[in-house]
Amino acid sequence: MALEVFHKDETLQMRRKLIGQSCRLFFSRDPVKIVRARGQYLYDENGMQYLDCISNVQHVGHCHPSLTQAAAAQMDLLNSNTRFLHDNIVLYADRLAATLPKKLCVFYFVNSGSEANDLALRLARQYTRHQDVIVLDHAYHGHLTSLIDISPYKFRKLGGQKEWVHVAPLPDTYHGIYREDHPDPGQAYADTMKSLIDEAHKKGRKISSFFAESLPSVGGQIIFPTGYCKRVAEYVREAGGIYVADEIQTGFGRVGSHFWAFQLQGEDFCPDIVTMGKPIGNGHPIACVATTEEIATAFTANGVEYFNTFGGNPVSCAIGLAVLDVIEKEDLRGNAVRVGGHLKQLLLQLQTKHPLIGDVRGVGLFIGMELVKDRASRKPATEEAAHLVRRLKEERIVMSTDGPWDSVIKFKPPMCFSIEDAERVCTCIDQILREEFLPLLSTSPLHQNTLPPHSVHSPLQPHLSHTTLLALLHSPSSPTDQKENYIFKSIVCYFFC
Amino acid sequence: MALEVFHKDETLQMRRKLIGQSCRLFFSRDPVKIVRARGQYLYDENGMQYLDCISNVQHVGHCHPSLTQAAAAQMDLLNSNTRFLHDNIVLYADRLAATLPKKLCVFYFVNSGSEANDLALRLARQYTRHQDVIVLDHAYHGHLTSLIDISPYKFRKLGGQKEWVHVAPLPDTYHGIYREDHPDPGQAYADTMKSLIDEAHKKGRKISSFFAESLPSVGGQIIFPTGYCKRVAEYVREAGGIYVADEIQTGFGRVGSHFWAFQLQGEDFCPDIVTMGKPIGNGHPIACVATTEEIATAFTANGVEYFNTFGGNPVSCAIGLAVLDVIEKEDLRGNAVRVGGHLKQLLLQLQTKHPLIGDVRGVGLFIGMELVKDRASRKPATEEAAHLVRRLKEERIVMSTDGPWDSVIKFKPPMCFSIEDAERVCTCIDQILREEFLPLLSTSPLHQNTLPPHSVHSPLQPHLSHTTLLALLHSPSSPTDQKENYIFKSIVCYFFC
């Protein structure tokens, strides 16, 4: 199979013509064309290697041969639908059940995290006979009509908040109303939920469910304070609703210590529904809803068939099974603990050196590094984060931002990310921050840096941008105020990087 | 890879425990376990072959080796997302564009027909700034919350009709308000749409779109009367709405003469959006929305990214491309014309012999044979259709029903269905109808029939059911009234077949 059919310019031109422009590209001014990948490494059309810090979907690593084999073997045998009996779906459900608390024992297979959350919404409403949904501020639960309605991240830009949606404060102890110095932020944030429910009841509304990512991702790589979920679940259940844990980004061992991120909240907390997606098939379109017998029974009682054409087909389940096997065989949860722990330590060390790094948080290989204008105000350093991402791209490291202000550098790499990868990316970040964001130290030109051997520049990307940038940055007319300097550098980089 | 891990009983037991019971099985009293398939043939755990007349998803045939190769090759190279540039997505969009009228030139890739219809709804509303949707009676457009709302087939059983949904009469010239003797049923049915729009306008409602399958499937394998779509599109556009052609069941050459079923309505008709699904990836979860530049531009103008995690990934597109190649190389459209034409002729011949067959309709390999209690009243023969399907299963032919009363035997086989397959299924239908539904002719015992060699009974299914059935059917106490006889036989078969 040819790695490339069209020259990159032609691909880009065709893409602009043929694909809806709402589908955006990373680094839109100079997008990356990736033609090959393996493990945690991406390769562009010139064979240039990029370290991938963000492809959480390619959970066990890009193009794992076990998955290709499992898919091809099953594709050669049978791909039908769930109206025929087949072993793969029950084998797979059984394996997933073993990772979950006993009460989550009934499964529905679908094709995407969005389909899973939509089905969770249907299950919640059918079971509770209530309509309303509580979500966390800045949450994103999917691209479907029903999910935009429960995603503040989207509905604030698209048509506004429906009367049946209630937005609870994000329990963010760095930016939120209760911070790290609060004696019990878990209880305090749970109490905001209680107030919200009381308010909704006063308006005659009835709560069907609380939807939350077990670690809010788009919300900024947030770690819930201790006790939060258990207390919230109590309040929601008292109101006749259920707790839906969206594990689409966080499941399948990403947090290392546990298979599911909700398990970080302790053994005495169990959601009523868990939705799974992204990493579940390592990129193959599969997703799942796990729930209780009671909720499943109520859904069946409506007498209407639920048929999902592709959901739970033998090929998707074979791939899902193979992913579980690789997670176990390669001890990827152990790797997430070791490498994630080391990465977090390195980032915390960087924080001691760079005032720009306001916060480092995370578990396993789900880590956020938040950039701030200054630590006192915690004002998000949005442009600086964007600049850092662009600079890392030049160093052949693919990174991205998240959070309400896109000020959080997010690490969600394939789970085979190594200690060396973690060290490489931290060395790069250190160097970029030192040279470009600590003006007193920024005297050594960028092209003389001592970056690791992987970060050789592509022949397609001459040093013009750096040279031009440096000329501008070191010219006598450059602004000297640190804040203005950041903005100025960002603007320069926006046009040249 | 083992064909079977569990004994069938155990699989069934695990399935009942682990998988939501809303996910139903074919032949629920004695479901079929299929472990292997090739072309148009399914094989159960005992190696017994079934002829597959309904798997429209496995469009180019089950387990086509070209698709397995294409999937494995791309899985080995790269599976990423659309935020990176890649050739497959633009190659694929370009190939699809070549099958469509020029104005449908912008593509969005998603994971299922349901996701495609949900996106079409979003596009329509964003472009028209209107909210309301017109759909045809009995329509089904998907399992998502938003699509149940626009599917009378579902919402009548689940919560009812929303104020923004308007249901137009199904232009069914066999059962509908205008029939085959009407001089211009296309215009007459289109006029019902005009009245519906006028009524909606009187209530202050604003039409965003008309959604219709290009050949209503769940509605009963309906062929639109000539001129219907063009006229309807005019009325809908006059109201500021757009025409969404749901080609999820009917696209990719199933009708033989054309690549898309909407093209049967003439070159002067073009929808504003076409949604694709089921056969597009031969079972791999992929789907697509094609639309105009104007609609895509309006969607982009809202400034919000549309990101679909798996949609349009290099593996899905490689499989989609391989499906298009096979359709062309194996002349599957030509096959649909030849085999579909022959099958329809054979069914029309059966109609002349069997009063139970009220109507035979269809194009290419999309054919419906409607059973009726009597031809004058056209009363649907629901139980008889269910019985025929169960009897065909005994003859190792997998068939199903559709339509508002489940009285339509639907043929939507893999496109490699052969002349011999068509003859075999018609011989079987003839024999079953002759022996079980024409009491005057039903003297020859079933076990002496002359069915083709494929229909040998499985060792797991002894002739007990037939013997018992026949003993009962021929006992002196059997009811003699033909109608009662049908019901009696259906009940007997329900318990024994």
Side-chain angles (χ1 to χ4, degrees), chain B residues 431-446 470 473-474 485 489:
Chain B
Q431 188 133 0
I432 294 166
L433 297 190
R434 201 170 63 232
E435 296 180 353
E436 300 185 30
F437 292 101
L438 285 177
L440 290 176
L441 296 173
S442 67
T443 48
S444 64
L446 273 187
L470 284 167
L473 293 180
H474 294 102
N485 205 1
K489 286 176 185 174

Side-chain angles (χ1 to χ4, degrees), chain B residues 36-206:
Chain B
R36 189 164 69 81
R38 209 77 176 181
Q40 63 275 46
Y41 302 109
L42 304 165
Y43 300 87
D44 72 10
E45 75 283 10
N46 299 304
M48 197 59 65
Q49 187 194 70
Y50 289 77
L51 175 62
D52 186 350
C53 298
I54 55 168
S55 292
N56 56 335
V57 170
Q58 279 70 33
H59 192 62
V60 304
H62 289 274
C63 302
H64 197 292
S66 299
L67 307 196
T68 307
Q69 279 162 29
Q74 186 59 52
M75 281 186 81
D76 192 49
L77 266 184
L78 176 71
N79 195 11
S80 58
N81 64 58
T82 55
R83 282 171 175 160
F84 293 105
L85 266 185
H86 196 272
D87 286 339
N88 284 8
I89 190 170
V90 298
L91 260 172
Y92 187 38
D94 199 45
R95 285 282 293 279
L96 289 174
T99 69
L100 286 162
K102 267 191 187 160
K103 100 177 201 192
L104 295 166
C105 59
V106 183
F107 297 82
Y108 299 86
F109 292 101
V110 296
N111 306 300
S112 67
S114 287
E115 283 196 358
N117 277 339
D118 184 85
L119 178 57
L121 192 62
R122 290 186 59 194
L123 289 165
R125 285 174 167 169
Q126 180 76 34
Y127 176 67
T128 64
R129 304 275 176 172
H130 295 174
Q131 159 91 345
D132 288 22
V133 179
I134 304 173
V135 289
L136 291 177
D137 207 357
H138 308 295
Y140 177 59
H141 293 293
H143 55 72
L144 299 167
T145 305
S146 62
L147 304 177
I148 290 170
D149 282 346
I150 65 165
S151 298
Y153 166 70
K154 288 283 179 191
F155 73 60
R156 293 231 168 90
K157 302 170 198 163
L158 292 167
Q161 186 169 345
K162 294 271 168 41
E163 76 287 355
W164 52 267
V165 177
H166 311 274
V167 180
L170 184 64
D172 170 356
T173 54
Y174 187 67
H175 280 293
I177 42 174
Y178 308 111
R179 300 194 172 179
E180 66 283 353
D181 55 353
H182 190 284
D184 188 357
Q187 181 66 56
Y189 277 109
D191 287 344
T192 65
M193 183 71 66
K194 179 86 186 95
S195 312
L196 193 72
I197 293 171
D198 290 345
E199 254 179 73
H201 282 172
K202 273 182 208 153
K203 291 182 206 154
R205 313 292 321 178
K206 290 177 174 176

